[in-house]
Amino acid sequence: ELKVEQNPLFLSMQEGKNYTIYCNYSTTSDRLYWYRQDPGKSLESLFVLLSNGAVKQEGRLMASLDTKARLSTLHITAAVHDLSATYFCAVDRAGRRETSGSRLTFGEGTQLTVNP
Amino acid sequence: DGGITQSPKYLFRKEGQNVTLSCEQNLNHDAMYWYRQDPGQGLRLIYYSQIVNDFQKGDIAEGYSVSREKKESFPLTVTSAQKNPTAFYLCASSRWAGRVAGDYNEQFFGPGTRLTVL
């Protein structure tokens, strides 16, 4: 059974600081997704990571994937209040075919609060 | 305007009643999914459908049923057999990105339905 663990689960940080959220998973996969969720809202796709060593950046967020270590990181640079949200990583355990769809196992989420 | 719609946004149910949550997409996506989210937790997969007239159980299917008669629609029924149905329900859909793009099916989510059992 695939397990996905995020840490920390709660993160309170000051504006301008840097921090990293970690996502560990238990079985082989090379497709990992990061999502953002604002309170009471749905999930918004942030990054798709598809191979070992993949790195994606958007604004103050950068995500990376190490498939050998079964680890993905989401790095926050110079945090601002607008980044306050819950961040989820999700690992795909489906096959690599057009008809596979995807089978995501989600981490518990990291609730990020950025304080002025 | 392409997207995924879910209705209703809020739903209240008495114990012992079945209720059906609607999910519609006009993205021409083949696969659709239902998830449940409990407070402070991640999403758990209830059912998924890769193609019309076919669907499979996810990790927590007991007490739920689905149908997929049209590509655009994937309704979820929460039956009275579901012991603790109060939760936030999210529907998603995905389309294969193609071999050149990397062989993946990124999921996009609807706005959700918040179900409360009274």
Side-chain angles (χ1 to χ4, degrees):
Chain A
E1 180 192 346
L2 172 60
K3 291 192 190 309
V4 180
E5 293 183 347
Q6 288 182 235
N7 72 84
L9 298 182
F10 299 93
L11 176 55
S12 181
M13 54 191 299
Q14 285 192 309
E15 280 191 328
K17 299 291 187 184
N18 304 334
Y19 210 84
T20 300
I21 298 170
Y22 297 89
C23 173
N24 291 274
Y25 54 98
S26 60
T27 62
T28 303
S29 175
D30 57 0
R31 281 160 294 152
L32 188 141
Y33 303 83
W34 283 95
Y35 289 91
R36 168 184 171 141
Q37 185 179 38
D38 291 303
K41 303 290 187 185
S42 187
L43 272 68
E44 172 192 350
S45 179
L46 292 176
F47 299 110
V48 181
L49 301 169
L50 299 175
S51 60
N52 187 40
V55 177
K56 294 277 185 75
Q57 182 161 7
E58 181 74 33
R60 300 174 188 275
L61 299 177
M62 183 173 72
S64 67
L65 178 62
D66 181 343
T67 58
K68 292 178 183 174
R70 298 177 187 168
L71 170 68
S72 180
T73 61
L74 181 66
H75 187 73
I76 303 152
T77 302
V80 293
H81 180 68
D82 284 353
L83 289 179
S84 297
T86 299
Y87 293 86
F88 292 95
C89 64
V91 177
D92 191 353
R93 61 190 192 269
R96 276 183 167 269
R97 297 193 313 274
E98 181 175 358
T99 54
S100 293
S102 47
R103 294 280 304 275
L104 298 183
T105 298
F106 282 80
E108 289 183 66
T110 297
Q111 186 176 319
L112 171 66
T113 303
V114 181
N115 303 303
Chain B
D1 219 354
I4 304 170
T5 57
Q6 291 185 242
S7 62
K9 188 173 180 180
Y10 298 97
L11 185 56
F12 297 90
R13 189 196 94 172
K14 292 182 182 177
E15 281 196 29
Q17 285 182 336
N18 293 355
V19 289
T20 297
L21 282 57
S22 168
C23 177
E24 304 274 333
Q25 55 99 0
N26 60 5
L27 300 167
N28 199 32
H29 286 178
D30 292 311
M32 297 186 74
Y33 314 80
W34 274 105
Y35 292 90
R36 169 185 173 133
Q37 186 179 29
D38 292 285
Q41 296 189 29
L43 279 65
R44 292 183 290 166
L45 182 65
I46 304 172
Y47 268 97
Y48 65 103
S49 168
Q50 294 161 309
I51 198 167
V52 174
N53 292 323
D54 187 43
F55 49 83
Q56 285 81 40
K57 292 182 180 180
D59 302 313
I60 55 164
E62 186 175 347
Y64 300 97
S65 66
V66 293
S67 63
R68 186 90 187 273
E69 297 175 3
K70 299 186 300 181
K71 187 175 185 177
E72 303 80 22
S73 178
F74 191 39
L76 173 74
T77 296
V78 184
T79 75
S80 56
Q82 169 48 235
K83 291 185 176 22
N84 186 18
T86 294
F88 188 43
Y89 290 86
L90 287 156
C91 176
S93 67
S94 72
R95 185 171 59 89
W96 189 55
R99 202 155 279 122
V100 172
D103 273 336
Y104 68 97
N105 285 273
E106 184 179 6
Q107 293 188 19
F108 298 91
F109 287 82
T113 292
R114 197 165 296 278
L115 173 63
T116 303
V117 173
L118 304 173

